[in-house]
């Protein structure tokens, strides 16, 4: 089995493998980012379980049929089954279209869109604890309303027990997952449409 996480989730085929190898730096950096975030040297500012639970929430916001969401849901359930069940239920309820948010730049206000502002239910907050509940709310903000993130949102994380380094890790995690999820979705679409095979043939012809 491949140790490359994108290959694993996307369901690597010879065609997809050839396509990904045309961008070796991107392939290597994606895996290196996964290793840094999910195989950390230290869990001082964000525990392994917190990383898995936040990842499950962030990726499951794309829907229960999303392959990346399923991958991280399984990891979260293995890490902390009780809290993972709560997190996945919250993600299911909070999954909406997006992004949303208000533009502050002159001339762009007409592009502003309103949408859901997520906060964990009281029952979920009690089950998850203040720290993880705050992290989920911030994750939803970064996924669906990124341009509205402010100093007040950082203060809420600090009040819930997150350190500055932990907040940076949380932000890096959500950013990485969004990119990884887009890459995997694109690869699966290419494979389903047979375009990966076409791309491989074009590459071979160019080489010839």
């Amino acid at each position: 089995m491949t140790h490359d996480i994108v290959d694993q989730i996307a369901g690597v085929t010879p065609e997809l493998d050839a396509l990904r190898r045309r961008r070796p730096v991107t392939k290597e950096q994606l895996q290196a980012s996964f290793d840094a975030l999910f195989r950390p040297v230290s869990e001082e500012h964000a525990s392994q379980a917190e990383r898995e639970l936040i990842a499950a929430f962030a990726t499951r916001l794309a829907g229960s049929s999303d392959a990346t969401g399923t991958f991280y849901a399984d990891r979260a359930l293995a890490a902390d089954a009780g809290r993972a069940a709560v997190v996945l239920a919250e993600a299911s309820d909070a999954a909406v279209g997006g992004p949303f948010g208000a533009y502050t730049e002159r001339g762009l206000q007409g592009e502003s869109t309103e949408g859901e502002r997520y906060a964990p239910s009281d029952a979920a907050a009690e089950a998850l604890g203040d720290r993880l509940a705050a992290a989920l709310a911030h994750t939803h903000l970064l996924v669906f309303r990124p341009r509205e993130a402010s100093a007040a949102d950082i203060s809420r994380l600090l009040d819930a027990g997150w350190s500055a380094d932990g907040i940076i890790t949380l932000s890096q995690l959500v950013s990485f997952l969004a990119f990884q999820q887009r890459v995997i979705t694109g690869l699966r679409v290419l494979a389903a449409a047979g375009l990966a095979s076409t791309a491989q043939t074009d590459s071979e012809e160019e080489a010839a």
Side-chain angles (χ1 to χ4, degrees):
M1 177 182 292
T2 177
H3 294 292
D4 185 285
I5 299 301
V6 170
D7 285 350
Q8 181 180 335
I9 300 173
V12 67
T13 64
E15 293 80 13
L16 284 180
D17 181 62
L19 188 62
R20 293 202 69 207
R21 288 181 184 279
R22 294 172 68 178
R23 297 291 186 271
V25 174
T26 300
K27 178 181 170 73
E28 292 169 6
Q29 289 181 345
L30 266 170
Q31 184 59 39
S33 295
F34 175 88
D35 291 339
L37 289 165
F38 290 97
R39 298 165 183 161
V41 174
S42 171
E43 297 180 36
E44 178 182 357
H45 301 287
S47 71
Q48 187 70 40
E50 286 173 331
R51 294 165 193 254
E52 303 293 355
L53 292 164
I54 292 165
F57 180 80
T59 55
R60 185 53 73 90
L61 289 172
S64 60
S65 63
D66 182 83
T68 309
T70 298
F71 172 80
Y72 285 107
D74 289 343
R75 287 177 62 96
L77 288 165
D80 188 334
R83 289 198 293 174
V86 177
V87 165
L88 294 174
E90 287 291 295
S92 178
D93 290 342
V96 294
F100 308 110
Y103 284 101
T104 58
E105 297 86 351
R106 180 175 299 176
L108 293 178
Q109 286 85 350
E111 302 295 324
S112 299
T113 54
E114 188 49 73
E116 179 174 336
R117 297 176 183 274
Y118 166 77
S121 66
D122 291 342
E126 183 176 354
L128 299 174
D130 291 343
R131 182 179 163 90
L132 185 55
L136 296 191
H138 195 73
T139 296
H140 196 277
L141 174 73
L142 295 180
V143 171
F144 288 113
R145 316 182 71 92
R147 59 178 172 265
E148 292 185 5
S150 67
D153 299 299
I154 301 300
S155 293
R156 280 189 281 272
L157 288 172
L158 291 170
D159 291 343
W162 286 87
S163 66
D165 286 341
I167 293 170
I168 291 171
T169 297
L170 170 60
S171 300
Q172 290 175 330
L173 182 64
V174 175
S175 177
F176 163 73
L177 290 166
F179 181 64
Q180 184 192 51
Q181 197 162 28
R182 288 196 296 272
V183 169
I184 291 167
T185 298
L187 289 171
R188 288 172 65 86
V189 168
L190 288 174
L195 296 178
S197 179
T198 301
Q200 181 188 27
T201 300
D202 291 343
S203 178
E204 291 171 348
E205 290 177 350
E206 291 172 3

